[in-house]
Every structure is written in structure tokens, then in C-alpha cells.
Amino acid sequence: MQGLMQDWPLLTHKVLDHAAIYHPDQEIVSRSVEGPIHRQTYADLNRRARKLASACEKHGLKLGDVAGTMAWNGYRHLEIWYGIMGLGAVVHTLNPRLFPEQLTYIIDHAEDKWFFVDLTFVPIMEGIQDKLPSIKNFVVMTDRDHMPDTSLRGALCYEDLLAEGDEDFVWPEFDENTACGMCYTSGTTGNPKGVVYSHRSNVLHAMSTNMADALGFHSTDAVMPVVPMFHANAWSTAFSAPMAGAKMIMPGAMMDGASIYELLDTEQASITLAVPTVWLMLLQYLEQNPEKKLEALKRVVIGGSACPESMMKAFEEDYDVEVIHAWGMTEMSPLGTLGTRKGGMENMSQEDWWPIKLKQGRPPFTVEMRITDDDEKELPRDGKAFGHLVVRGPCISKAYMKGEGGNILDSEGYFDTGDVSTVDEYGFMQITDRSKDVIKSGGEWISSIDLENIAVGHPDVAEAAVIGIEHPKWDERPLLVIVKKDGAEPEGDDILKFMEGKIAKWWMPDDVAFVEEIPHTATGKISKLQLRQQFEDYKLPTA
Ligand code: ADP
């Protein structure tokens, strides 16, 4: 027997419809690229997204076409997401921090036909447009007054284009499995690979992240995604915040500690999300300006890289802001686990809860997760055994764009995340490493993440990275690479002493190297690949 419920496709513009009808006056506040703070409502977003869709359709954009964007978090970028997706076309977000060769490869591979670009990034696109024959229309995301003199092919001014559209445009009907978004992963091995989201996966994922034990946005929340819309779907906020009717605060191009603080404070953000490097800048700014407080902020979501204990402590103890540690990846839409207390843990002492809270957390409904050995055999959930972290679910990739990388699922349909982790008896997962970053010493594995998290707790350390260096006896031994805090002059031995007793003796780094800067990837993570190249010829004193 079949159920007798209505077919109501899970389409992204249904989220916008809901926000516009039930939360029409809720605000979207953006720091515009032109400078001033811009304010509009969900009713405005709905009107303008429809106008944009209607205008683009008149110019020939149709179902299945790919439209690239290179833009900050802001109201126009949101309008493009909803307008283009609503046409059944695909929004392809590009990370401006990638090298020109990577950008050309990715845009060409995805066959972008349209390209929306923020004023900041016009020069980047001017520099590579000749290598991008697939792009027919460039749209500069600004108004007539700020429209630059540009060589971009047939460049349209966003506000002029929008003015051609009809605000009563009716969204076309199409299947919920239609592609709506695309984001390439950095591809540390081989070429970058395109992750393709569907309407269904994005809507389901937003619902899943909006469950109370996950991020659970309320219509009374003011959500500030500092994580860019070009980094793994902005962790769903462009869908989950409107779905809940929450206020949105979009930081635009200004990502330094002072600017982030200013927006958090003046717009009274209640929850904000970003990678640890952003929070390092904010915490440093707050340290230098002790009179500043985070009064409205209740929760901060930290993911993308491991959240060090010192960072979690600073937010919770110095500023009374709850930290939610989250893990995920582009292929997972992206949220995979969140570290919130669960039933039965209500009365757990702070002392018992803290080590669990530091883990990457537990999956919300829709994410199936387990750890396996090299033969795909499941390992115990005892918090000790560690193995390949594999995942399965309706918002997780089953293949990459154009079949790049071949079959990516195991015999039971699980996707290998490339992370190595443990899972404890409560279901909390802890990442020990990327599988290619673990340090193999004497046949055992040392977690570089654990060492980094401890080292960065030293008061004189700004940033720490650990890599494996070849060793004649042990295969590899850990080298600790340190960036000192401004004005601090710690010795290597001071830092090692600080780490003593916090980890097993044989995990202790064999040496400490000081550098001016640690290389980062385009998504703000420590680039172990580059760091290993930098220390290729390094000889450990113990070797
Ligand atoms: P990119 O590698 O292009 O930045 P992703 O954002 O998809 O793309 O990266 C996902 C990876 O980031 C995960 O597989 C994991 O290794 C790492 N990661 C994400 N969140 C965390 C976290 N909370 N702790 C440790 N590692 C994390």
C-alpha cells in the first residue's frame, strides 16, 4: 500500500517562500562591498530573487545551466542563490583564494555559463576570462554608480539586470533531485573534485542542522555566518536561517577581528559560525581591548579544523559564550557531527563533560557514521579503537561531478571521509587526523591534531602545526612548528615542558622549529602538504 500524502518537492525556494510569508520583516543585514551597512528583509529577498530569476531567464539562463559566483557573504549573493536555484539552474561557488590555474580548471570543468562577481574580485576574473570560453555572461554585483570600467566580456551591472525582472515571477516546477549547488573540494590529491548538491539534499540538510540538539536556530536568533558561502555551502546557514526565520548578519569582505567584533556587537548576533583562524583573530582583538565584551552572543560554532581547548576555554570562561564544536566536509553538505550534550548527560560534572565536549561530536539524524579497519570491518565504539571514518546519508555525495575519482562508495554505500577517528560509547566522534597527516612512529600512530591543540595552549604560542619527519629507527617522528605570539620569545624547551605529562611520552615532538608564518589552504586550514615540502630536508637531532 502506498501512503496518501501530497507530493511536495523539497525545493530551496520553498524555504524562501516560508521566510517571506511568515517572517517578512525579519532582517538581513550586510556589510556591503561598496562600504555602508545594507538592510533588507526576507520579503525583499523574495521579491529581488524573483526579479533576478525572471531577468536571467529573459537573457537565456535555463534549467541545468551553471552560474558561477565569486562573492562575499552578502544580500546580493543570497539573491543569486535563491534566484538561480529557483530556475532549476546551478549555483557554483568559487573560492577567490584559489590560484588562477585552479580557478580556470574548476570553472572550465563545471562549464559555468554565467558568472556573478563581487567588485573585489573583478580583477581576478579579468585576468583569467580568456581561458574561460564557456562563460557567456559576466554580471558585476553592484549598482550603476559603482559599476567599474571593466574588460569582462559583455559585463552586465547587477542592479540594471535586476531592474529588467518581474517580482511576480512564478518559480517553474521541477524534480527535487535537480542539482542546485556546486562546490569543488581542494583536492590535495589529484584534481579538484566537484560536489553537486540537490534541492532535496540542501533542504533536508537544513532541517537536520536545525534540530534542537544540532544548531536549532530560533526565529529570535541573529545568525552571523562568518564562514563564507563559497566554503562548503556556508554550513547550510543560507537555508537554515531563513527556514527558521532568524535574522541574518552577513560580514562581507571585512574578516579581521575588529570588524567581526563590531558587527557581532552592533547587530547583537546570538550565534556565529567560522573556522578557528577567524576566532583566533577575534580573541586576539578582545585580548587587546579588554573593555569589549560579547554581550548578546550566546553560541559560537567552530569547525573546519579542530577547535583547541584553549580557544574553547577562552570563549566559555572569559566571555560566557557556549562553544559548539562541529565537524563536516564539503561532501556532507557539510555538517556531520556536533558536540552538544545529550540526554543522560544533563547532570554530568563539568570535569567529566569537558573532554567529551572537546571531541568533534555526534551526528544528527540523516548522518550514518562508523569507523572501519583497512578491510571495511567495523571497529568498536569504545573511544579507543581508531580507523577510517566512513559516512552514509541523503545529504552525502555518491559521486563527483563528471564521475571524477570513479566510484567513491564502499560495498555498503559508505563514503570514506579520509579522516581517522575514534567513536566513544556515547557516539561522540573524535578526529585523530587526516589519514595522510597521521605520523607513523614505530608502527603506531601519533595524532598531529592532539599535539597541535596542546601546544597552542602555551601562552606564548600563536599557532602550532605538527608534521612527521623521516627517522631512521622509527620511520617518522613529530616535529613541532611554532609561530610565536607578537613580542613573546619562548624557547623550544619551554613549550616541550608545557606539553609534558599531557600526552604519552613517546608522542612528545623530537624537535621544535620556529617560523614567521605557517602556510594555510584556501579554506584557512594549516597546509600540511606545503609545510612538509618546506621541511623536506630537515634533519631531526634524534636521527
Ligand atoms: P577543504 O579540505 O577544501 O577545506 P572541507 O571543508 O570539506 O574542504 O574539509 C573537510 C575536512 O576538514 C574534514 O575531512 C576534516 O579533515 C577537516 N575538519 C573539518 N572539521 C573539523 C574539526 N572540527 N576537527 C578536525 N578536522 C576537521
Side-chain angles (χ1 to χ4, degrees), residues 253-281:
M254 312 279 273
M255 310 281 263
D256 60 288
S259 308
I260 294 295
Y261 176 79
E262 188 194 68
L263 261 195
L264 285 171
D265 186 49
T266 53
E267 294 305 325
Q268 300 279 289
S270 61
I271 177 165
T272 178
L273 313 83
V275 296
T277 37
V278 167
W279 302 132
L280 269 182
M281 289 190 286

Side-chain angles (χ1 to χ4, degrees), residues 213-289:
D213 267 11
L215 298 183
F217 293 156
H218 290 259
S219 53
T220 47
D221 268 317
V223 181
M224 179 155 139
V226 182
V227 54
M229 292 166 79
F230 54 75
H231 183 200
N233 230 348
W235 303 357
S236 182
T237 46
F239 306 114
S240 53
M243 185 179 271
K247 171 175 169 177
M248 294 188 81
I249 308 163
M250 308 295 261
M254 312 279 273
M255 310 281 263
D256 60 288
S259 308
I260 294 295
Y261 176 79
E262 188 194 68
L263 261 195
L264 285 171
D265 186 49
T266 53
E267 294 305 325
Q268 300 279 289
S270 61
I271 177 165
T272 178
L273 313 83
V275 296
T277 37
V278 167
W279 302 132
L280 269 182
M281 289 190 286
L282 177 72
L283 289 172
Q284 263 171 29
Y285 172 79
L286 290 169
E287 222 174 90
Q288 289 154 5
N289 297 275

Side-chain angles (χ1 to χ4, degrees), residues 185-186 231-232 302-307 325-331 360 417 419 431 434 449 521 523 525:
T185 61
S186 49
H231 183 200
I302 306 183
S305 303
C307 170
H325 192 191
W327 163 87
M329 60 195 312
T330 309
E331 287 87 336
Q360 275 74 8
T417 61
D419 287 324
I431 303 265
R434 289 295 289 168
I449 295 186
T521 68
T523 48
K525 296 173 195 190

Side-chain angles (χ1 to χ4, degrees), residues 26 29 57 62 64 139 172 182 213 264 326-327 378 388 461 472 478 513:
Q26 184 61 282
V29 180
E57 193 186 50
K62 55 180 195 311
V139 184
M182 203 189 284
D213 267 11
L264 285 171
W327 163 87
E378 185 168 359
H388 307 285
V461 172

Side-chain angles (χ1 to χ4, degrees), residues 32 61 66 93 169 243 255 284 393 418 526:
S32 70
L61 185 73
V66 181
T93 50
F169 180 74
M243 185 179 271
M255 310 281 263
Q284 263 171 29
I526 292 173

